[in-house]
């Protein structure tokens, strides 16, 4: 039986708790609080109630028939996380952590964000729960994702642009950790992906695996069977682990996580630690990282701010090593092509993150028989990305 | 007896407290580090903490992060730092040198290979801020083999149970982080620090050094009244940042002398 992580948060050699001494005790308190909530029917009830009435779950599964026909092979189904409140899967997790924060008596939440989706999802629940909210965002991303920055402000959050390092997601995470260590008594750090020190990778997975649980029953209902392969984009990896985890013991279902190949793996300008990195320690856990020979973290590149991160959740590192999940990568150009295809064939504007998963589906579907089924996690909608896409096509919307 | 033990023994005999300055290796330039180390010793430092720059120093404030960025711009690597220590040892074989940094550069080099070379060049202790004892098995084995002291942090949030655990692994000295927050922060409550250090001494029979938030003669003196040593980091790095490259060593030595005077008074 798949039974990870162990009691100290290890997935094989990955995961763990790699933080400065000041955070050890707060993380221990978090672990204990989460353990008690995890087994508490009241907590589950509140969480599920919010997922239904506030998020709008279950999210549907949609057969992308025209696109599948155009590609001429396997049938592509989409798990529509883009239809959730706030437009992405991120809210599943922020609701879970916000309920936990309230139970722990913390009235201030902080978050890091790349594309801004997790920041918006955090600002949203903070508004609803009446909590103070501070979101750290790389200065580069603040520029790339202006609509989401304004959305967070509308929701009452303070957005702090981070000017250090590469000014992207990893630097936002460093800054959020610094805030947490300084204000730890009243602050809950809502990490947006299945990474960071234990219990975060497990906790985020637990909150996100509603995606896979729903998909399992929906696929049976819709197709009378489970898909042949699941495909999801992997930055930190929360939407992917949310879909994959409930399927891990279904041996007939293959899985592919798709990283951001940026300009191409061979150019070095990418964000694909599982495909082209090696294990190391960053942001509280041991996992695959993009790093140079001296152990310095490398700058990453992806057209998608949400995938522009040099690490990955430790459970993915373990699933790669065990071979249970395959990891591939899609370039900026491939993701953009898939983005446009979904717009034109299905009337759905996908997030650039999710477009990487779509790109992989477009790559493999034509080689498969027409009765094969691919289930792609459409983790978010692409409204936030229209400026980036327009700019890429040489069009100015300003 | 190790250089660290010798140093604290000597200080105890003299009735003085250890002054432990921190600089980031390679800041502002790799060629400035060895001269700075000598200047710190002349400025009456007892132990040198040498920062190993890391791209993502999440336990540090902006001052030390900027120092890391300056050092990394010149490609300062852990291997380069070992060469710096080797160079320093040609003229100084008694001042303990402790490397302080984040786990990943050490992991990337490999703990076993690092430890062997560190011992050869005369590194006395290593503090990896993001590697608590629970995750440090391989590191601790390598250090033990080469008689390198693992230095651990204790903080205001460390429980008594955990102090006992750290006591099992620590050697050389322990470093009490005097406040919640990152390096370079302010507001210190010395009453609280005193109580905490007393708790630590009940369980750990090693010298206790206090750091984080020590900025001037007054805070250094208050810390020295409580502890066996005082660590000053951000304030010195700031001095380097604000100096011309040629005069940095001189200015840092001058600053450190003022702290020494305050502590010894």
């Amino acid at each position: 039986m798949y039974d990870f992580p162990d009691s100290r948060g290890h997935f094989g050699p990955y995961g763990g708790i790699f933080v400065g001494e000041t955070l050890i005790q707060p993380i221990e308190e978090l672990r204990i609080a989460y353990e008690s909530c995890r087994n508490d029917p009241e907590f589950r009830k509140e969480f599920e109630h919010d997922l239904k009435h506030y998020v709008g779950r279950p999210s549907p599964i949609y057969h992308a028939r025209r696109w599948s026909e155009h590609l001429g092979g396997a049938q592509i189904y989409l798990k529509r996380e883009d239809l959730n409140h706030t437009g992405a899967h991120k809210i599943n997790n922020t609701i879970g952590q916000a309920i936990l924060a309230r139970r722990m008596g913390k009235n201030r939440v902080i978050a890091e964000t790349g594309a801004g989706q997790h920041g918006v999802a955090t600002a949203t629940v903070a508004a609803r729960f009446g909590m103070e909210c501070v979101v750290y965002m790389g200065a580069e991303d603040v520029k790339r994702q202006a609509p989401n920055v304004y959305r967070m402000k509308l929701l009452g959050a303070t957005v702090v642009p981070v000017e250090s390092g590469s000014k992207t997601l990893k630097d936002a995470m460093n800054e959020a950790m610094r805030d947490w260590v300084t204000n730890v008594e009243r602050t809950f750090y809502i990490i947006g992906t299945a990474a960071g020190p234990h219990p975060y990778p497990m906790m985020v997975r637990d909150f996100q695996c509603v995606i896979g649980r729903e998909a399992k029953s929906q696929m049976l209902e819709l197709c009378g069977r489970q898909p042949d392969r699941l495909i999801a984009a992997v930055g930190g990896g929360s939407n992917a682990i949310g879909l994959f985890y409930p399927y891990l013991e279904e041996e007939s279902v293959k899985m592919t996580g798709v990283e951001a190949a940026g300009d191409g793996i061979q150019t070095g300008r990418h964000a694909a630690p599982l495909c082209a990195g090696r294990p190391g320690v960053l942001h509280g856990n041991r996992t695959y990282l993009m790093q140079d020979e001296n152990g310095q973290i490398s700058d990453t590149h992806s057209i998608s701010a949400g995938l522009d991160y040099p690490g990955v959740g430790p459970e993915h590192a373990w699933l790669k090593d065990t071979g249970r999940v395959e990891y591939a990568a899609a370039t900026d150009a491939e993701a953009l092509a898939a983005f446009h295809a979904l717009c034109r064939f299905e009337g759905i504007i996908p997030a650039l993150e999710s477009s990487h998963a779509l790109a992989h589906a477009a790559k493999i579907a034509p080689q498969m028989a027409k009765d094969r089924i691919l289930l792609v996690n459409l983790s978010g909608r692409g409204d936030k990305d229209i400026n980036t896409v327009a700019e890429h096509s040489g069009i100015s919307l300003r | 007896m190790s250089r660290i033990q010798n140093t604290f023994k000597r200080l105890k005999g003299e009735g003085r407290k250890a002054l432990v300055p921190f600089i980031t290796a390679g800041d502002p330039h790799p060629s400035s580090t060895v001269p700075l180390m000598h200047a710190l010793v002349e400025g009456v430092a007892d132990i040198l903490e040498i920062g190993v720059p890391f791209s993502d120093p999440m336990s540090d404030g902006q001052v030390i992060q900027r120092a890391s960025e300056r050092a990394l711009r010149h490609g300062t690597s852990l291997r380069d730092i070992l060469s710096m220590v080797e160079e320093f040892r040609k003229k100084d074989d008694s001042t303990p040198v402790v490397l302080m940094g984040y786990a990943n550069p050490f992991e990337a080099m490999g703990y076993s290979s690092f430890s062997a070379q560190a011992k050869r060049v005369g590194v006395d202790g290593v503090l990896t801020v993001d590697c608590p004892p629970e995750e440090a098995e391989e590191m601790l084995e390598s250090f033990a083999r080469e008689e390198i002291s693992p230095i651990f942090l204790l903080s205001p949030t460390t429980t008594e149970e955990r102090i006992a655990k750290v006591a099992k692994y620590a050697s050389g000295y322990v470093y009490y982080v005097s406040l919640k927050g990152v390096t370079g922060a302010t507001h210190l409550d010395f009453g609280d620090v005193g109580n905490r250090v007393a708790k630590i001494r009940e369980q750990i029979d090693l010298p206790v050094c206090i750091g984080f938030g020590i900025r001037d003669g007054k805070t250094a003196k208050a810390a020295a009244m409580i502890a066996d040593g005082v660590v000053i980091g951000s304030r010195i790095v700031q001095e380097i940042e604000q100096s011309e490259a040629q005069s940095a060593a001189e200015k840092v030595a001058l600053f450190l002398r003022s702290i020494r005077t305050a502590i010894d008074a």
Side-chain angles (χ1 to χ4, degrees), chain A residues 232-246:
Chain A
V234 176
S238 71
N239 89 81
I241 202 69
L243 177 63
F244 295 170
Y245 183 74

Side-chain angles (χ1 to χ4, degrees), chain A residues 306-354:
Chain A
L307 302 183
D308 208 350
Y309 179 67
V312 62
E315 193 159 16
H316 287 293
W318 177 237
L319 292 171
K320 173 194 157 76
D321 283 11
T322 59
R324 178 64 186 94
V325 179
E326 288 174 23
Y327 292 89
T331 63
D332 288 355
E334 290 165 336
L336 276 168
F339 174 96
H340 288 298
L342 205 71
C343 291
R344 300 300 286 269
F345 282 103
E346 300 294 345
I348 296 171
I349 302 178
L352 283 174
E353 289 75 19
S354 322

Side-chain angles (χ1 to χ4, degrees), chain A residues 208-226:
Chain A
Q208 288 295 0
C209 72
V210 62
I211 301 171
R213 276 202 309 272
E214 284 177 5
K216 265 175 122 172
S217 66
Q218 288 168 318
M219 286 308 293
L220 265 187
E221 210 173 294
L222 217 58
C223 303
R225 70 177 181 95
Q226 295 304 339

Side-chain angles (χ1 to χ4, degrees), chain A residues 8 178 185 281 286 296, chain B residues 55 57 60 65 107 134 180:
Chain A
R8 284 184 15 235
R178 290 179 182 132
E185 270 106 5
V281 173
R286 181 177 281 118
Q296 303 299 340
Chain B
S55 50
D60 284 297
Q65 167 146 23
E107 286 223 352
E134 291 86 346
K180 293 171 199 166

